[in-house]
Amino acid sequence: MTVFEAASVPGEAPPADSVAPRESSADAPTSIARLNATIRDFVAQWGTVWVEGEITSWNVRAGNVFARLKDTRSDAQISIRLWSSVRARIPADLAVGDHVVAAVKADYFVKAGDFSFTVSAMKHVGLGDQLERLERLRVQLRQEGLFDPSRKKPLPFLPHVIGLITGENSDAEKDVHRNAELRWPQVRFRTVHAAVQGDRCVPETLAALKKLDADPDVDVIVIARGGGDPQTLLGFSDERLVRAVAAAATPVVSAIGHENDHPLLDDVADLRASTPTDAAKRVVPDVGEQRALVAQLRARATTRVSQRVAHDIAQLEQLRSRPVLRDPDPLIERRAQEVWLLAARSRDTVGRAVDAAGRRTAELRASLRALSPAATLARGYAIAHRDDGVIVRDAADAPAGTALTLTVDRGSLRALSEGEIAESDATDATNPARPESAAPLKAGASDPAPAEGSDARR
């Protein structure tokens, strides 16, 4: 509470802040600040009050709500404010026109002189304890992520079999069949009837959902029911059914009631249809539209292919018009002349190299023939060696009786040594009058033969 201190001056009017509103007069007025503070302190004593009314305006600003409530029996209205923390605890579907009860506390703003009420709780009138529990369940399921769009499964483009859960001989069943068959005549249904209201609604719908979800032929499941009052639709907000739909492996479409009906099943289903008729239109494609689309795509493909072929033909004609492709003979002839010149030059170079190599080979062959021991043997010399392989270079190495092998120009022969020949006999052996065959046989002990024979053995 604001405290105003009096600071009066004798003989003058007291300051306005020091004058209480009840004690004010024309000569001693009170201040606006004190008046507003007095009003604020007074209304603060009222505490929280429950009021009933109709929402006439509902403006959301930065998470807070500024609204007005109108009396249901007169034109009286009040201004209300709901802070963001309170808004998270009240039903999310509150809107203009709703009949509500609210817990309000008077609040008077001293600075602006505005009078309004702060709301701490609000609920629909007549919603009842059961619907209040459903709203709390809605908040809980939203917090668990069951309403998150990322977890919803996409519907197949063209389901082979549609599972339908609805009441027996109901208008909803007829609407779904009729509209689906008008869009795609070959569509097939697998229908399981269940009670759509009352105590049997939830268990029968759960059993039908379990049966269709286990059927591998069913591509999508539609749960359909016609409109009704909120009490008859409570079964489709049952927590067991809602969690079963969220856990189903097959995509589920909710088609409950009309556009304004909003059970929890709509929030958790993979697709929400406003009516059973809307469900049929959204589950199967329109055959006429698909044919038109196919025709359009074929026309576009034909146009693109024709354009590509025409472009490639133009490119080919452009390439063919180039001189190198229009008359390629000169290019080939120039290359042929170059190849012929290179081949002739190669033949000439290889021929000279072969001739030089031949001459060099002949020279080496002649040198080898001149240096070869075979040339010496061809002149009539022989090489003598004992059986142990030792070449006889000294007559003393072959005493009488020593077996010798004599190698001549063509072949070898065996000989038996008669000992060293006297010097006079050796001179006679070199006499030309003697037969040529005698000299080489005695020459085995002469000096030149062993030397050449030694080179031959090596």
Side-chain angles (χ1 to χ4, degrees), residues 32 48 71 103 107 115 138 242 246 283 291 314 344 362 392 404 411 445:
I32 295 176
T48 301
D71 187 74
D107 194 359
F115 185 82
R138 189 189 301 273
V242 169
V283 168
R291 286 177 176 175
V392 179
L404 300 174

Side-chain angles (χ1 to χ4, degrees), residues 12 15 20 25 35 40 70 118 126 131 133 147 150 173 214 223 226 231 263 272 295 310-311 316 319 323 392 408:
E12 296 182 2
S25 65
L35 175 62
R40 180 197 61 193
K70 177 181 176 297
T118 302
L131 293 183
R133 287 196 299 270
F147 299 166
S150 62
E173 179 181 7
I223 303 177
Q231 188 67 28
R272 185 215 176 203
H311 177 268
L316 182 60
L319 292 174
V392 179
V408 295

Side-chain angles (χ1 to χ4, degrees), residues 280-344:
K281 293 180 179 179
R282 301 181 68 174
V283 168
V284 295
D286 184 84
V287 63
E289 294 177 358
Q290 297 306 314
R291 286 177 176 175
L293 178 60
V294 170
Q296 180 183 2
L297 293 176
R298 291 181 63 183
R300 290 174 56 185
T302 301
T303 301
R304 294 295 299 273
V305 172
S306 300
Q307 291 176 349
R308 182 57 185 269
V309 171
H311 177 268
D312 291 346
I313 291 175
Q315 291 289 325
L316 182 60
E317 291 297 332
Q318 182 180 1
L319 292 174
R320 292 179 60 187
S321 64
R322 294 182 180 180
V324 68
L325 294 179
R326 186 176 61 251
D327 186 15
D329 292 342
L331 178 63
I332 296 176
E333 291 173 356
R334 287 198 302 270
R335 297 301 182 187
Q337 181 67 18
E338 293 177 2
V339 172
W340 185 86
L341 291 175
L342 292 175

Side-chain angles (χ1 to χ4, degrees), residues 33 70 201 414:
K70 177 181 176 297
C201 175
R414 300 287 292 175

